[in-house]
Amino acid sequence: MIHKRLDGELFSQMVYLGASNLHKNVKVVDALNVFPVPDGDTGTNMNLTFTSGVDELSRKESPMIGESAAALAKGLLMGARGNSGVILSQLFRGFSKSVTGKDSINARQFAEALKLGVDTAYQAVMKPVEGTILTVAREAAEMALKASRTIDDITLLMEKTLEYAQISLNRTPELLPVLKEVGVVDSGGQGLVFIYEGFMRALRGESMETMQQATVASVKDYDLDQLVDEHHNAQVHMKTEDIHFGYCTEFMVWLQHSTEPDKKPFIESIFRNQLDKMGDSLLVVSDEEIVKVHIHAENPGQVLNYAQQFGSLHRLKIENMREQHSTILQKEEERKTQAHSTAAAVQEKKLPYGLIAVAAGSGIADMFKSMGVHIVVEGGQTMNPSTEDFMRAITELNAENVIILPNNSNIIMASKQAAELAEIPVAVIPTKSVPQGMAALVAFNGSSEIEKNLQTMTEAASAVKTGLVTFAVRDTQMGEVDIKQDDFIGIADGTIVVSLPDMMESAEGLLHKLIDEETGLVTIIHGEGATEEQVSQLENMLEESYPDVEVEVYNGKQPLYPFIFAVE
């Protein structure tokens, strides 16, 4: 389809299909993460970020592209998670600035908006690294700007943009050696290409339904619960008696072969239209063999009787949503009461400093609290807190100054973005690990100015060495280390230095590489997957091999990492 102008409604359709295409391919993007650890999350971060933008857009969709783009940018900004999510939010923040106040734009203005988005994203990154999502976005936008000199059809221009984004993505291993070493393209760049593919399909006239029908992935791979949850963000704002369709009904239909004459032929559009008359919140996902259905219905039996005409029913789940909603309201009330009590306790006296730290594992959270942290934001590698999460924590603290310890390299950008949005001075100590966060806290001085604390805490964090033990999720090669799936890998300050089938051999090998003649203290933080006997084994090894080194042990209860080592 030819589009000489792009208004708010068409732009919204582009965003919806871009989000849908990214959502379908989250696992693909996650799998491209370079480190073979079980917490690759670029796709998850981008998906959660873009979903936040879509939620805001759906509430404020406008015929004017300026207003629709502003709604998307706001949602992305507040929902940004991880580096990839923050960069994605900045790309569309710049796009929004370019189209502010406009009803619609032409092809040239569309290309200029993409370019301003890239400029904004580059400005947001202290040290831009080429071979990443930034490169893909920049080179695609530059091609779009060049092509717009002769192309006035936005559909054709988007095709050219997508084409060059893919070319740029394929080149990322040549720009970033670690990608070439592992044999993958950049995960964030791949996520952006999936979004651009959705944009192009919308401009070509595809709908959400036709896009789903064109999906090549098996329906078995869909996480229906996650899809449904994205439509249920406002449950606490409704009354239980307002629920018109009271039963959440989920099931699978195994479609029968034509040799069974008692079963009707399955046509998804007809099937979907019929079920739509029986309830709301309908989701139908199908392939040649299976149909997965989610619907809110008042008469689940009617839905199941209709569906059974097309095949056999499996994995039935029917839940009373009125009961569930009453429980949700009760928990929300308890959460508000607890939050109010916490805020009231904090606000009794205005704090000169409020300390925020990110942690995964109740034991690590308790350790931070014992060291003076006021609010521990739950998160880490597997779930990066968003900008909004940090803004909420900053607001909850009635403090004159706030210091944030992200404790993960993939969380630093989101915390810095929150610091820029905050109305009070907020310093982000760029801690990349729990040990660095603890070292920074030891250096904190409540009597010093915030700039001085930023300097001294950053220096303290950089002086500690961090070791992590986890397991490999795939075969790969990192430098001289040959890694096999399910091996236990030892990571020293971000570099994999050992990979062995035995966890304890890997842990001991990692410690030997971290400890040198200047080491005076080793802290062992053990988590899920490590036993007391194994902890004692490490203590004995350290005592025998390094008698002059002091050893401290804590139970962090952290997931995925049986051992975290701090070496000072």
Side-chain angles (χ1 to χ4, degrees):
M1 298 178 66
I2 297 175
H3 294 286
K4 296 299 181 71
R5 307 288 300 183
L6 178 63
D7 60 14
E9 292 181 357
L10 181 55
F11 174 73
S12 297
Q13 290 303 309
M14 291 168 63
V15 171
Y16 296 149
L17 264 69
S20 177
N21 200 40
L22 175 63
H23 179 86
K24 289 187 308 180
N25 292 285
V26 165
K27 293 181 179 179
V28 175
V29 179
D30 280 344
L32 292 174
N33 281 270
V34 173
F35 264 30
V37 295
D39 50 18
D41 54 3
T42 300
T44 300
N45 284 335
M46 294 184 74
N47 181 50
L48 290 172
T49 300
F50 215 64
T51 297
S52 177
V54 167
D55 287 344
E56 185 71 16
L57 175 60
S58 65
R59 289 192 291 269
K60 299 180 180 179
E61 185 177 333
S62 167
M64 299 176 58
I65 190 170
E67 293 182 358
S68 288
L72 174 67
K74 179 182 178 182
L76 290 172
L77 179 68
M78 299 311 295
R81 296 174 185 268
N83 294 350
S84 55
V86 172
I87 292 172
L88 187 64
S89 73
Q90 293 301 308
L91 289 174
F92 287 97
R93 185 181 183 187
F95 184 99
S96 173
K97 289 180 181 178
S98 182
V99 300
T100 298
K102 292 183 171 61
D103 293 338
S104 63
I105 57 175
N106 58 26
R108 178 68 179 181
Q109 291 169 318
F110 177 70
E112 290 172 346
L114 292 176
K115 182 61 169 60
L116 183 58
V118 170
D119 294 341
T120 304
Y122 266 85
Q123 291 171 6
V125 181
M126 288 294 293
K127 296 179 179 179
V129 176
E130 296 302 333
T132 66
I133 181 176
L134 287 170
T135 304
V136 176
R138 175 177 57 79
E139 293 186 342
E142 290 172 350
M143 174 55 67
L145 204 58
K146 181 178 180 180
S148 67
R149 299 171 186 169
T150 57
I151 296 175
D152 62 358
D153 175 15
I154 296 174
T155 304
L156 182 56
L157 183 63
M158 188 68 238
E159 290 177 354
K160 293 291 185 183
T161 303
L162 173 60
E163 178 184 346
Y164 209 79
Q166 185 64 61
I167 293 173
S168 179
L169 176 66
N170 294 340
R171 289 180 54 245
T172 55
E174 302 301 323
L175 300 175
L176 205 56
V178 68
L179 297 177
K180 187 173 184 178
E181 185 177 356
V182 179
V184 296
V185 296
D186 177 66
S187 55
Q190 178 65 79
L192 184 64
V193 168
F194 283 137
I195 292 172
Y196 282 0
E197 283 179 352
F199 284 7
M200 184 194 67
R201 291 181 176 187
L203 290 168
R204 287 178 174 175
E206 293 187 36
S207 64
M208 293 286 285
E209 182 173 301
T210 57
M211 186 171 172
Q212 288 173 350
Q213 290 174 341
T215 301
V216 297
S218 170
V219 69
K220 302 180 185 69
D221 295 332
Y222 279 79
D223 184 346
L224 202 57
D225 289 335
Q226 184 178 347
L227 281 166
V228 173
D229 285 343
E230 291 174 2
H231 298 278
H232 292 186
N233 295 324
Q235 292 186 17
V236 296
H237 302 296
M238 64 184 295
K239 299 178 181 179
T240 302
E241 54 267 27
D242 292 337
I243 299 177
H244 300 297
F245 300 98
Y247 296 92
C248 178
T249 306
E250 296 183 15
F251 58 92
M252 296 174 62
V253 184
W254 288 87
L255 301 176
Q256 304 297 314
H257 299 290
S258 58
T259 54
E260 300 186 24
D262 59 321
K263 301 299 180 183
K264 293 183 178 180
F266 177 78
I267 302 175
E268 183 173 328
S269 59
I270 297 176
F271 183 84
R272 187 189 303 273
N273 290 337
Q274 287 299 315
L275 289 188
D276 190 51
K277 300 173 184 177
M278 303 178 192
D280 64 8
S281 295
L282 174 65
L283 288 173
V284 177
V285 184
S286 68
D287 61 15
E288 295 179 354
E289 299 178 351
I290 300 173
V291 183
K292 294 181 76 171
V293 176
H294 170 277
I295 186 172
H296 293 172
E298 190 62 22
N299 188 346
Q302 181 184 6
V303 174
L304 296 176
N305 286 336
Y306 174 73
Q308 196 172 11
Q309 299 178 60
F310 302 92
S312 57
L313 304 182
H314 299 266
R315 300 185 185 178
L316 280 70
K317 184 172 71 172
I318 301 174
E319 296 178 335
N320 189 319
M321 293 194 300
R322 294 186 179 95
E323 289 183 0
Q324 287 182 326
H325 189 257
S326 296
T327 302
I328 289 172
L329 293 181
Q330 181 180 349
K331 290 182 178 180
E332 177 66 11
E333 190 61 33
E334 292 173 355
R335 186 195 67 79
K336 287 182 178 179
T337 300
Q338 182 178 2
H340 178 75
S341 299
T342 302
V346 171
Q347 291 174 2
E348 288 179 0
K349 182 179 179 181
K350 195 158 189 174
L351 299 169
Y353 274 104
L355 302 178
I356 300 171
V358 180
S362 60
I364 293 178
D366 290 341
M367 291 164 62
F368 277 124
K369 290 176 182 177
S370 70
M371 298 178 74
V373 170
H374 299 98
I375 295 179
V376 176
V377 177
E378 185 177 357
Q381 283 293 88
T382 53
M383 179 56 70
N384 296 160
S386 67
T387 304
E388 187 172 13
D389 292 330
F390 286 113
M391 288 298 296
R392 189 181 300 114
I394 293 170
T395 302
E396 186 177 330
L397 283 170
N398 186 24
E400 297 175 358
N401 304 278
V402 171
I403 291 177
I404 300 176
L405 302 166
N407 301 327
N408 186 293
S409 60
N410 207 31
I411 299 176
I412 293 174
M413 286 188 68
S415 58
K416 286 186 174 181
Q417 190 159 261
E420 293 175 1
L421 295 171
E423 297 179 355
I424 61 173
V426 177
V428 176
I429 313 301
T431 53
K432 299 179 180 180
S433 66
V434 167
Q436 286 191 350
M438 292 178 168
L441 279 173
V442 172
F444 170 69
N445 185 344
S447 301
S448 295
E449 298 293 326
I450 192 168
E451 292 82 4
K452 181 62 176 178
N453 269 316
L454 176 60
Q455 177 184 347
T456 56
M457 293 175 74
T458 300
E459 290 174 355
S462 63
V464 65
K465 292 186 282 188
T466 299
L468 305 173
V469 176
T470 186
F471 60 92
V473 295
R474 66 171 183 269
D475 294 348
T476 189
Q477 183 82 23
M478 298 294 289
E480 298 180 357
V481 182
D482 185 26
I483 301 167
K484 301 298 182 183
Q485 183 174 340
D486 297 328
D487 270 3
F488 286 93
I489 55 179
I491 307 171
D493 288 327
T495 301
I496 297 177
V497 296
V498 62
S499 177
L500 297 167
D502 183 79
M503 181 178 74
M504 296 308 297
E505 289 183 8
S506 182
E508 292 181 8
L510 174 61
L511 283 169
H512 288 313
K513 290 183 179 293
L514 288 168
I515 297 172
D516 56 30
E517 58 185 16
E518 297 181 358
T519 300
L521 172 65
V522 172
T523 302
I524 301 173
I525 305 172
H526 57 97
E528 298 174 4
T531 65
E532 293 292 339
E533 292 77 11
Q534 290 169 329
V535 174
S536 297
Q537 179 179 332
L538 286 182
E539 289 183 274
N540 293 334
M541 183 277 291
L542 290 171
E543 184 177 353
E544 293 175 4
S545 302
Y546 308 98
D548 296 330
V549 174
E550 184 180 350
V551 179
E552 294 183 356
V553 177
Y554 298 96
N555 185 1
K557 301 178 183 179
Q558 69 271 9
L560 297 179
Y561 294 88
F563 293 110
I564 297 175
F565 302 131
V567 178
E568 303 173 63

